[in-house]
Coordinates of all heavy atoms in Angstrom, one line a residue:
M1 N 108.0 107.0 16.5 CA 106.9 108.0 16.7 C 107.4 109.4 16.5 O 108.3 109.8 17.2 CB 106.3 107.8 18.1 CG 105.2 108.7 18.5 SD 104.7 108.3 20.1 CE 103.1 109.1 20.1
T2 N 106.8 110.1 15.7 CA 107.2 111.5 15.4 C 106.5 112.5 16.3 O 105.3 112.4 16.4 CB 107.0 111.8 13.9 OG1 107.7 110.9 13.1 CG2 107.5 113.2 13.6
E3 N 107.2 113.4 16.9 CA 106.6 114.4 17.7 C 106.3 115.6 16.8 O 107.1 116.0 16.0 CB 107.5 114.9 18.8 CG 107.9 113.8 19.8 CD 106.7 113.3 20.6 OE1 105.9 114.1 21.0 OE2 106.6 112.1 20.8
T4 N 105.1 116.2 16.9 CA 104.7 117.3 16.1 C 104.6 118.6 16.8 O 104.5 119.7 16.3 CB 103.4 117.0 15.3 OG1 102.4 116.7 16.3 CG2 103.6 115.9 14.4
S5 N 104.5 118.6 18.2 CA 104.3 119.8 18.9 C 105.6 120.4 19.3 O 106.7 119.8 19.1 CB 103.5 119.5 20.2 OG 104.2 118.8 21.1
D6 N 105.6 121.6 19.9 CA 106.8 122.3 20.3 C 107.3 121.6 21.6 O 108.5 121.7 21.9 CB 106.6 123.8 20.6 CG 106.4 124.5 19.2 OD1 106.8 124.0 18.2 OD2 105.8 125.6 19.3
T7 N 106.5 121.0 22.4 CA 106.9 120.3 23.6 C 107.5 118.9 23.2 O 106.8 118.1 22.5 CB 105.6 120.0 24.5 OG1 105.0 121.3 24.7 CG2 106.1 119.4 25.8
P8 N 108.7 118.7 23.6 CA 109.3 117.4 23.1 C 108.7 116.2 23.6 O 108.7 115.2 23.0 CB 110.8 117.6 23.6 CG 110.8 118.7 24.5 CD 109.6 119.5 24.3
S9 N 108.1 116.2 24.8 CA 107.5 115.0 25.4 C 106.4 115.4 26.3 O 106.4 116.4 27.0 CB 108.6 114.3 26.2 OG 108.0 113.2 27.0
P10 N 105.4 114.5 26.4 CA 104.3 114.8 27.3 C 104.6 114.3 28.7 O 103.8 114.6 29.6 CB 103.1 113.9 26.7 CG 103.8 112.8 26.1 CD 105.1 113.4 25.5
G11 N 105.8 113.7 28.9 CA 106.2 113.2 30.2 C 106.8 114.2 31.1 O 106.9 115.4 30.8
Q12 N 107.1 113.7 32.3 CA 107.7 114.5 33.3 C 109.2 114.6 33.1 O 109.9 113.6 32.9 CB 107.4 113.9 34.7 CG 107.9 114.6 35.9 CD 107.6 114.0 37.2 OE1 107.4 112.8 37.2 NE2 107.5 114.8 38.2
H13 N 109.8 115.8 33.1 CA 111.2 116.0 33.0 C 112.0 115.4 34.2 O 111.7 115.8 35.3 CB 111.5 117.5 32.8 CG 113.0 117.8 32.5 ND1 113.9 118.1 33.4 CD2 113.6 117.7 31.3 CE1 115.1 118.2 32.8 NE2 114.9 118.0 31.5
L14 N 112.9 114.6 33.9 CA 113.7 113.9 35.0 C 115.1 114.6 35.1 O 115.5 114.8 36.3 CB 113.9 112.5 34.7 CG 112.8 111.5 34.8 CD1 113.3 110.1 34.5 CD2 112.3 111.5 36.3
A15 N 115.8 114.8 34.0 CA 117.1 115.3 34.1 C 117.6 115.8 32.8 O 116.9 115.6 31.7 CB 118.0 114.1 34.5
S16 N 118.7 116.5 32.8 CA 119.4 116.9 31.6 C 120.8 116.3 31.7 O 121.5 116.4 32.7 CB 119.5 118.4 31.4 OG 118.3 118.9 31.3
I17 N 121.2 115.6 30.6 CA 122.5 114.9 30.6 C 123.3 115.3 29.4 O 122.7 115.9 28.4 CB 122.4 113.4 30.7 CG1 121.7 112.9 29.5 CG2 121.7 113.0 32.0 CD1 121.6 111.3 29.4
S18 N 124.6 115.1 29.4 CA 125.4 115.3 28.1 C 125.9 113.9 27.7 O 126.2 113.1 28.4 CB 126.5 116.3 28.4 OG 127.4 115.7 29.3
H19 N 126.0 113.8 26.3 CA 126.5 112.6 25.7 C 126.9 112.9 24.3 O 126.1 113.6 23.5 CB 125.5 111.5 25.7 CG 126.0 110.3 25.0 ND1 127.0 109.5 25.5 CD2 125.7 109.7 23.9 CE1 127.2 108.5 24.7 NE2 126.4 108.6 23.7
A20 N 128.1 112.5 23.9 CA 128.6 112.7 22.6 C 128.5 114.1 22.0 O 128.1 114.4 20.9 CB 127.9 111.7 21.6
G21 N 128.8 115.1 22.9 CA 128.8 116.5 22.5 C 127.5 117.2 22.4 O 127.4 118.3 21.9
R22 N 126.4 116.5 22.9 CA 125.1 117.1 22.9 C 124.5 117.0 24.3 O 124.9 116.1 25.1 CB 124.1 116.3 21.9 CG 124.5 116.4 20.5 CD 123.5 115.6 19.6 NE 122.4 116.4 19.2 CZ 121.5 116.0 18.4 NH1 121.5 114.7 18.0 NH2 120.5 116.8 18.0
F23 N 123.6 117.9 24.5 CA 122.8 117.9 25.8 C 121.5 117.2 25.5 O 120.9 117.5 24.4 CB 122.6 119.3 26.4 CG 123.9 119.9 26.9 CD1 124.6 120.8 26.2 CD2 124.4 119.5 28.1 CE1 125.8 121.3 26.7 CE2 125.6 120.0 28.6 CZ 126.3 120.9 27.9
W24 N 121.0 116.4 26.4 CA 119.8 115.7 26.2 C 118.9 115.9 27.4 O 119.3 115.8 28.6 CB 120.1 114.2 26.1 CG 120.9 113.8 24.9 CD1 122.2 113.9 24.8 CD2 120.4 113.3 23.7 NE1 122.6 113.5 23.5 CE2 121.5 113.1 22.8 CE3 119.1 112.9 23.2 CZ2 121.4 112.5 21.6 CZ3 119.0 112.4 22.0 CH2 120.1 112.2 21.1
D25 N 117.6 116.1 27.2 CA 116.6 116.2 28.2 C 116.0 114.8 28.3 O 115.7 114.1 27.3 CB 115.5 117.2 27.9 CG 116.1 118.6 28.0 OD1 116.7 118.9 29.0 OD2 115.8 119.4 27.1
V26 N 115.8 114.3 29.6 CA 115.3 113.0 29.8 C 113.9 113.1 30.4 O 113.8 113.9 31.4 CB 116.2 112.2 30.7 CG1 115.7 110.7 30.9 CG2 117.6 112.2 30.2
Y27 N 112.9 112.4 29.9 CA 111.6 112.5 30.4 C 111.1 111.1 30.8 O 111.5 110.1 30.2 CB 110.6 113.0 29.3 CG 111.0 114.4 28.8 CD1 111.9 114.7 27.8 CD2 110.4 115.5 29.5 CE1 112.2 116.0 27.4 CE2 110.7 116.8 29.1 CZ 111.6 117.0 28.0 OH 111.9 118.3 27.7
L28 N 110.2 111.1 31.7 CA 109.5 109.9 32.2 C 108.1 109.9 31.6 O 107.3 110.8 31.9 CB 109.4 109.8 33.7 CG 108.8 108.5 34.3 CD1 109.7 107.3 34.0 CD2 108.6 108.7 35.8
E29 N 107.8 108.9 30.7 CA 106.5 108.8 30.1 C 105.8 107.5 30.6 O 106.5 106.4 30.6 CB 106.6 108.8 28.6 CG 107.2 110.1 28.0 CD 107.3 110.0 26.5 OE1 107.0 108.9 25.9 OE2 107.6 111.0 25.9
F30 N 104.6 107.6 30.9 CA 103.8 106.4 31.4 C 103.0 105.8 30.2 O 102.5 106.6 29.4 CB 102.9 106.8 32.6 CG 103.6 107.0 33.8 CD1 104.2 108.2 34.2 CD2 103.8 105.9 34.7 CE1 104.8 108.4 35.4 CE2 104.4 106.1 35.9 CZ 105.0 107.3 36.2
E31 N 103.0 104.5 30.2 CA 102.2 103.8 29.2 C 100.7 103.8 29.8 O 100.5 103.6 31.0 CB 102.7 102.4 29.1 CG 104.0 102.3 28.4 CD 104.4 100.8 28.1 OE1 103.8 99.9 28.8 OE2 105.2 100.6 27.2
D32 N 99.8 103.9 28.9 CA 98.4 103.9 29.3 C 97.8 102.5 28.8 O 97.5 102.4 27.6 CB 97.6 105.0 28.7 CG 96.2 105.1 29.1 OD1 95.9 104.5 30.2 OD2 95.4 105.7 28.5
D33 N 97.8 101.5 29.7 CA 97.4 100.2 29.3 C 96.3 99.7 30.3 O 96.7 99.3 31.4 CB 98.5 99.2 29.2 CG 98.2 97.9 28.7 OD1 97.0 97.6 28.5 OD2 99.1 97.1 28.4
P34 N 95.0 99.8 30.0 CA 94.0 99.5 30.9 C 94.0 98.0 31.4 O 93.5 97.6 32.4 CB 92.7 99.8 30.2 CG 93.0 100.0 28.8 CD 94.5 100.3 28.7
R35 N 94.7 97.2 30.6 CA 94.8 95.7 30.9 C 95.7 95.6 32.1 O 95.7 94.5 32.8 CB 95.3 94.9 29.7 CG 94.3 94.9 28.6 CD 95.0 94.3 27.4 NE 96.1 95.1 27.0 CZ 97.1 94.7 26.1 NH1 97.1 93.5 25.6 NH2 98.1 95.6 25.8
R36 N 96.6 96.5 32.4 CA 97.6 96.4 33.5 C 97.3 97.5 34.5 O 98.1 98.3 34.9 CB 99.0 96.6 32.9 CG 99.4 95.6 31.9 CD 100.8 95.9 31.4 NE 101.0 95.1 30.2 CZ 101.7 94.0 30.2 NH1 102.2 93.5 31.3 NH2 102.0 93.3 29.1
S37 N 96.1 97.4 35.0 CA 95.6 98.5 36.0 C 96.3 98.4 37.3 O 96.2 99.3 38.1 CB 94.1 98.4 36.2 OG 93.8 97.2 36.7
R38 N 97.0 97.3 37.6 CA 97.7 97.2 38.9 C 99.1 97.6 38.9 O 99.8 97.5 39.9 CB 97.5 95.7 39.4 CG 96.1 95.4 39.7 CD 96.0 94.0 40.3 NE 94.6 93.7 40.6 CZ 94.2 92.5 40.8 NH1 95.0 91.5 40.8 NH2 92.9 92.3 41.0
A39 N 99.6 98.0 37.8 CA 101.0 98.4 37.7 C 101.1 99.7 36.9 O 100.4 99.9 35.9 CB 101.8 97.3 37.1
Y40 N 102.1 100.5 37.3 CA 102.4 101.8 36.5 C 103.7 101.5 35.8 O 104.7 101.2 36.4 CB 102.6 102.9 37.5 CG 101.2 103.4 38.0 CD1 100.6 102.8 39.1 CD2 100.6 104.5 37.4 CE1 99.4 103.2 39.5 CE2 99.4 105.0 37.9 CZ 98.8 104.3 39.0 OH 97.6 104.7 39.4
R41 N 103.6 101.5 34.5 CA 104.7 101.2 33.6 C 105.2 102.5 32.9 O 104.4 103.2 32.3 CB 104.3 100.1 32.5 CG 103.8 98.8 33.1 CD 103.2 97.9 32.1 NE 103.9 97.8 30.9 CZ 104.9 96.8 30.7 NH1 105.2 96.0 31.6 NH2 105.5 96.8 29.5
A42 N 106.5 102.7 33.0 CA 107.0 103.9 32.4 C 108.3 103.7 31.6 O 109.0 102.7 31.9 CB 107.3 104.9 33.5
L43 N 108.5 104.5 30.7 CA 109.7 104.5 29.8 C 110.4 105.8 29.9 O 109.9 106.8 30.4 CB 109.3 104.1 28.4 CG 108.3 105.1 27.7 CD1 109.0 106.2 27.0 CD2 107.4 104.3 26.8
L44 N 111.6 105.8 29.4 CA 112.4 107.0 29.3 C 112.4 107.5 27.9 O 112.6 106.8 26.9 CB 113.9 106.8 29.7 CG 114.1 106.3 31.2 CD1 115.5 106.0 31.4 CD2 113.5 107.3 32.2
A45 N 112.2 108.8 27.7 CA 112.3 109.5 26.4 C 113.4 110.5 26.5 O 113.6 111.3 27.4 CB 111.0 110.2 26.1
F46 N 114.2 110.5 25.4 CA 115.4 111.4 25.3 C 115.2 112.3 24.2 O 114.9 111.9 23.0 CB 116.7 110.5 25.1 CG 117.0 109.6 26.2 CD1 116.4 108.4 26.3 CD2 117.9 110.0 27.2 CE1 116.8 107.5 27.3 CE2 118.2 109.2 28.3 CZ 117.6 107.9 28.3
S47 N 115.4 113.6 24.5 CA 115.3 114.7 23.4 C 116.5 115.5 23.5 O 116.9 116.1 24.5 CB 114.1 115.5 23.8 OG 114.0 116.6 22.9
P48 N 117.2 115.6 22.3 CA 118.4 116.5 22.3 C 118.0 118.0 22.5 O 117.0 118.4 21.9 CB 119.0 116.2 20.9 CG 118.0 115.6 20.1 CD 117.0 115.0 21.0
A49 N 118.7 118.7 23.2 CA 118.4 120.1 23.5 C 118.4 120.9 22.2 O 117.7 121.9 22.0 CB 119.3 120.7 24.5
D50 N 119.3 120.5 21.2 CA 119.4 121.2 19.9 C 118.7 120.4 18.9 O 119.1 120.3 17.7 CB 120.9 121.4 19.6 CG 121.6 120.0 19.4 OD1 121.1 119.0 19.8 OD2 122.7 120.0 18.9
R51 N 117.5 119.8 19.2 CA 116.8 119.0 18.3 C 116.4 119.6 17.0 O 116.0 120.8 16.9 CB 115.5 118.6 19.0 CG 114.7 117.5 18.3 CD 113.6 117.0 19.2 NE 112.4 116.9 18.5 CZ 111.2 117.1 18.9 NH1 111.0 117.4 20.2 NH2 110.2 117.0 18.1
N52 N 116.8 118.9 15.9 CA 116.5 119.4 14.6 C 115.1 119.1 14.1 O 114.5 118.1 14.6 CB 117.5 118.8 13.6 CG 118.9 119.1 13.9 OD1 119.2 120.3 14.2 ND2 119.8 118.2 13.9
E53 N 114.6 119.8 13.2 CA 113.2 119.5 12.7 C 113.2 118.1 12.1 O 114.1 117.7 11.4 CB 112.9 120.6 11.6 CG 111.4 120.4 11.1 CD 111.0 121.5 10.1 OE1 111.5 122.6 10.3 OE2 110.2 121.2 9.2
G54 N 112.2 117.4 12.5 CA 112.1 116.0 12.0 C 112.8 115.0 12.8 O 112.7 113.8 12.5
E55 N 113.6 115.4 13.8 CA 114.4 114.5 14.6 C 113.5 113.9 15.7 O 112.9 114.7 16.5 CB 115.6 115.2 15.2 CG 116.5 114.3 15.9 CD 117.8 115.0 16.4 OE1 117.8 116.3 16.3 OE2 118.7 114.3 16.7
D56 N 113.3 112.6 15.7 CA 112.4 112.0 16.7 C 113.0 111.9 18.1 O 114.3 111.9 18.2 CB 112.1 110.6 16.2 CG 111.2 110.5 15.0 OD1 110.5 111.5 14.7 OD2 111.2 109.5 14.3
L57 N 112.2 111.8 19.1 CA 112.6 111.5 20.4 C 113.0 110.0 20.4 O 112.5 109.2 19.6 CB 111.5 111.6 21.4 CG 111.4 113.0 22.1 CD1 111.0 114.1 21.1 CD2 110.4 112.9 23.2
L58 N 114.0 109.7 21.2 CA 114.4 108.3 21.4 C 113.7 107.8 22.7 O 113.8 108.4 23.7 CB 115.9 108.2 21.5 CG 116.7 108.8 20.3 CD1 118.2 108.7 20.6 CD2 116.4 108.0 19.1
R59 N 113.1 106.6 22.6 CA 112.4 106.0 23.7 C 112.8 104.6 24.0 O 113.0 103.8 23.1 CB 110.9 106.1 23.4 CG 110.3 107.5 23.4 CD 108.8 107.4 23.2 NE 108.1 108.7 23.4 CZ 108.0 109.6 22.5 NH1 108.4 109.4 21.3 NH2 107.4 110.8 22.8
T60 N 112.9 104.3 25.3 CA 113.2 103.0 25.7 C 111.9 102.2 25.7 O 110.8 102.8 25.5 CB 113.8 102.9 27.1 OG1 112.8 103.4 28.1 CG2 115.0 103.7 27.2
I61 N 111.9 100.9 26.0 CA 110.7 100.2 26.3 C 110.4 100.5 27.7 O 111.1 101.2 28.4 CB 111.0 98.6 26.2 CG1 112.1 98.2 27.1 CG2 111.3 98.3 24.7 CD1 112.2 96.7 27.2
A62 N 109.3 100.0 28.2 CA 108.9 100.3 29.6 C 109.9 99.6 30.5 O 110.1 98.4 30.5 CB 107.5 99.7 29.9
I63 N 110.7 100.4 31.3 CA 111.7 99.8 32.1 C 111.4 100.0 33.6 O 112.1 99.5 34.4 CB 113.1 100.5 31.8 CG1 113.0 102.0 32.0 CG2 113.5 100.1 30.4 CD1 114.4 102.7 31.9
I64 N 110.4 100.8 33.9 CA 110.0 101.0 35.3 C 108.6 100.5 35.5 O 107.7 100.9 34.8 CB 110.1 102.5 35.7 CG1 111.6 102.9 35.6 CG2 109.5 102.7 37.0 CD1 111.8 104.4 35.8
V65 N 108.5 99.5 36.4 CA 107.1 99.0 36.7 C 107.0 99.0 38.2 O 107.7 98.3 38.9 CB 107.0 97.5 36.1 CG1 105.6 97.0 36.4 CG2 107.3 97.5 34.6
E66 N 106.1 99.7 38.7 CA 105.8 99.9 40.1 C 104.3 99.9 40.4 O 103.5 100.1 39.5 CB 106.4 101.2 40.6 CG 108.0 101.3 40.5 CD 108.7 100.3 41.4 OE1 108.1 99.9 42.4 OE2 109.8 100.0 41.1
P67 N 104.0 99.6 41.7 CA 102.5 99.5 42.0 C 101.8 100.8 42.1 O 100.6 100.9 42.2 CB 102.5 98.7 43.3 CG 103.9 98.9 43.9 CD 104.8 99.1 42.7
S68 N 102.6 101.9 42.2 CA 101.9 103.2 42.2 C 102.7 104.2 41.4 O 103.9 104.1 41.1 CB 101.9 103.7 43.7 OG 103.2 104.2 44.1
Y69 N 102.0 105.3 41.0 CA 102.6 106.4 40.2 C 103.8 107.0 41.0 O 104.9 107.2 40.5 CB 101.6 107.4 39.9 CG 102.1 108.7 39.3 CD1 102.3 108.7 37.9 CD2 102.5 109.8 40.0 CE1 102.8 109.9 37.3 CE2 103.0 110.9 39.4 CZ 103.1 111.0 38.1 OH 103.6 112.1 37.5
E70 N 103.6 107.2 42.3 CA 104.6 107.9 43.1 C 105.9 107.0 43.2 O 107.0 107.5 43.1 CB 104.1 108.1 44.5 CG 103.0 109.2 44.6 CD 101.6 108.7 44.2 OE1 101.4 107.5 44.1 OE2 100.8 109.6 43.9
E71 N 105.7 105.7 43.3 CA 106.8 104.8 43.4 C 107.6 104.7 42.1 O 108.8 104.7 42.0 CB 106.4 103.4 43.8 CG 106.0 103.3 45.3 CD 105.5 101.9 45.6 OE1 104.3 101.7 45.4 OE2 106.3 101.1 46.2
A72 N 106.9 104.8 41.0 CA 107.5 104.8 39.7 C 108.3 106.1 39.5 O 109.5 106.0 39.0 CB 106.4 104.7 38.6
V73 N 107.8 107.2 39.8 CA 108.5 108.5 39.7 C 109.8 108.4 40.7 O 110.9 108.8 40.2 CB 107.6 109.7 40.1 CG1 108.5 111.0 40.1 CG2 106.5 109.8 39.0
Y74 N 109.6 107.9 41.9 CA 110.7 107.8 42.8 C 111.8 106.9 42.2 O 113.0 107.3 42.3 CB 110.2 107.3 44.2 CG 111.3 107.0 45.1 CD1 111.9 108.1 45.8 CD2 111.8 105.7 45.3 CE1 112.9 107.8 46.7 CE2 112.9 105.5 46.2 CZ 113.4 106.6 46.9 OH 114.5 106.3 47.7
R75 N 111.4 105.8 41.7 CA 112.4 104.9 41.1 C 113.1 105.5 39.9 O 114.4 105.4 39.8 CB 111.7 103.6 40.6 CG 112.6 102.6 40.0 CD 113.4 101.8 41.0 NE 112.6 101.2 42.0 CZ 113.0 101.0 43.3 NH1 114.2 101.3 43.6 NH2 112.2 100.5 44.2
A76 N 112.4 106.3 39.1 CA 113.1 106.9 38.0 C 114.0 108.0 38.4 O 115.1 108.2 37.9 CB 112.0 107.5 37.1
R77 N 113.7 108.7 39.5 CA 114.5 109.8 40.0 C 115.8 109.2 40.7 O 116.8 110.0 40.9 CB 113.8 110.7 41.0 CG 112.7 111.5 40.2 CD 112.5 112.8 40.9 NE 111.5 113.6 40.1 CZ 111.8 114.4 39.1 NH1 113.1 114.5 38.7 NH2 110.9 115.1 38.5
Q78 N 115.8 107.9 41.0 CA 117.0 107.3 41.6 C 118.0 106.9 40.5 O 119.1 106.6 40.9 CB 116.5 106.0 42.4 CG 115.6 106.3 43.5 CD 116.2 107.4 44.4 OE1 117.3 107.3 44.9 NE2 115.4 108.5 44.7
L79 N 117.7 107.0 39.2 CA 118.6 106.6 38.2 C 119.7 107.7 38.2 O 119.4 108.9 38.2 CB 117.9 106.6 36.8 CG 116.9 105.4 36.7 CD1 116.2 105.6 35.4 CD2 117.7 104.1 36.7
E80 N 120.9 107.2 38.1 CA 122.1 108.1 38.1 C 122.4 108.5 36.7 O 122.0 107.9 35.7 CB 123.3 107.5 38.8 CG 123.0 107.3 40.3 CD 124.2 106.7 41.0 OE1 125.3 106.7 40.5 OE2 124.0 106.2 42.1
E81 N 123.2 109.6 36.5 CA 123.6 110.1 35.2 C 124.2 109.0 34.3 O 123.8 108.9 33.1 CB 124.5 111.3 35.3 CG 124.8 111.9 33.9 CD 125.5 113.2 34.0 OE1 125.6 113.8 35.1 OE2 126.0 113.7 32.9
H82 N 125.1 108.2 34.9 CA 125.8 107.2 34.0 C 124.8 106.1 33.6 O 124.9 105.6 32.5 CB 127.0 106.6 34.8 CG 126.6 105.7 35.9 ND1 126.4 106.1 37.2 CD2 126.5 104.3 35.9 CE1 126.1 105.1 37.9 NE2 126.1 104.0 37.2
Q83 N 123.7 105.9 34.4 CA 122.7 104.9 34.0 C 121.9 105.5 32.8 O 121.5 104.8 31.9 CB 121.8 104.5 35.2 CG 122.6 103.8 36.2 CD 121.8 103.6 37.5 OE1 121.3 104.6 38.0 NE2 121.7 102.4 38.0
L84 N 121.5 106.8 33.0 CA 120.7 107.4 31.9 C 121.5 107.5 30.6 O 121.0 107.3 29.5 CB 120.3 108.8 32.3 CG 119.4 108.9 33.5 CD1 119.2 110.4 34.0 CD2 118.0 108.3 33.2
Q85 N 122.8 107.8 30.7 CA 123.7 107.8 29.5 C 123.7 106.4 28.9 O 123.7 106.3 27.7 CB 125.1 108.3 29.9 CG 125.2 109.7 30.2 CD 126.5 110.2 30.8 OE1 127.2 109.4 31.4 NE2 126.8 111.4 30.6
A86 N 123.8 105.3 29.7 CA 123.8 104.0 29.1 C 122.5 103.7 28.4 O 122.5 103.1 27.3 CB 124.0 103.0 30.3
F87 N 121.4 104.1 29.0 CA 120.1 103.9 28.2 C 120.1 104.6 26.9 O 119.7 104.1 25.9 CB 118.9 104.3 29.1 CG 118.5 103.3 30.1 CD1 118.5 103.7 31.5 CD2 118.1 102.1 29.8 CE1 118.2 102.8 32.5 CE2 117.7 101.1 30.8 CZ 117.7 101.5 32.1
L88 N 120.6 105.9 26.9 CA 120.7 106.7 25.7 C 121.6 106.0 24.7 O 121.2 105.9 23.5 CB 121.2 108.1 26.0 CG 121.4 109.0 24.8 CD1 120.1 109.2 24.0 CD2 121.9 110.3 25.3
R89 N 122.8 105.6 25.1 CA 123.7 104.9 24.2 C 123.0 103.7 23.5 O 123.3 103.4 22.4 CB 125.0 104.5 24.9 CG 126.0 105.6 25.0 CD 127.3 105.0 25.5 NE 127.3 104.1 26.6 CZ 127.4 104.5 27.9 NH1 127.5 105.8 28.2 NH2 127.3 103.6 28.8
S90 N 122.2 103.0 24.3 CA 121.6 101.8 23.8 C 120.5 102.1 22.7 O 120.2 101.2 21.9 CB 120.9 101.0 24.9 OG 119.7 101.6 25.3
L91 N 120.1 103.3 22.6 CA 119.1 103.8 21.6 C 119.7 104.4 20.4 O 119.1 104.5 19.3 CB 118.1 104.8 22.2 CG 117.3 104.3 23.4 CD1 116.6 105.4 24.1 CD2 116.3 103.2 22.9
L92 N 121.0 104.8 20.5 CA 121.6 105.5 19.4 C 122.1 104.5 18.3 O 122.5 103.4 18.7 CB 122.8 106.4 19.9 CG 122.4 107.6 20.8 CD1 123.6 108.2 21.4 CD2 121.6 108.6 19.9
P93 N 122.2 105.0 17.1 CA 122.7 104.1 16.0 C 124.2 103.8 16.2 O 124.9 104.4 16.8 CB 122.4 104.8 14.7 CG 122.0 106.2 15.1 CD 121.8 106.2 16.6

């Protein structure tokens, strides 16, 4: 999915991490799926701070599934830097 606005992600900023000589902003994005109204499903989106034109955000699948928005945000905020780096590494070529 290509981002066209100046805002890298519509999600909530979780953290900034470094990996492989770059700084990355990590966002929590919620899936909007009316079929799953009893669960809040969220994924992580990674945007390099020095993002080049045409460079897409890297997104995981939905990895956080909680019964409320607040619990999903809480769970995401509990992820440690080394865990976020591991998710990022899994998305890189």
Side-chain angles (χ1 to χ4, degrees):
M1 177 180 197
T2 303
E3 298 295 319
T4 56
S5 70
D6 290 338
T7 305
S9 169
Q12 182 178 26
H13 186 264
L14 285 179
S16 294
I17 62 172
S18 63
H19 176 70
R22 291 179 93 177
F23 290 101
W24 296 80
D25 290 314
V26 185
Y27 298 90
L28 182 67
E29 295 180 355
F30 284 87
E31 290 184 340
D32 186 21
D33 187 349
R35 297 172 295 166
R36 300 179 192 262
S37 61
R38 294 186 181 164
Y40 286 80
R41 299 169 49 88
L43 56 92
L44 299 176
F46 295 86
S47 174
D50 61 347
R51 192 169 131 211
N52 298 313
E53 185 175 327
E55 188 174 13
D56 292 338
L57 269 68
L58 302 176
R59 290 182 169 90
T60 65
I61 60 170
I63 58 169
I64 296 175
V65 180
E66 295 293 336
S68 74
Y69 173 86
E70 292 79 14
E71 288 176 277
V73 172
Y74 175 79
R75 181 73 56 209
R77 292 213 175 271
Q78 298 308 305
L79 293 170
E80 296 182 13
E81 184 171 347
H82 72 275
Q83 293 169 309
L84 295 172
Q85 288 171 333
F87 281 119
L88 175 58
R89 277 194 310 273
S90 74
L91 298 170
L92 292 171

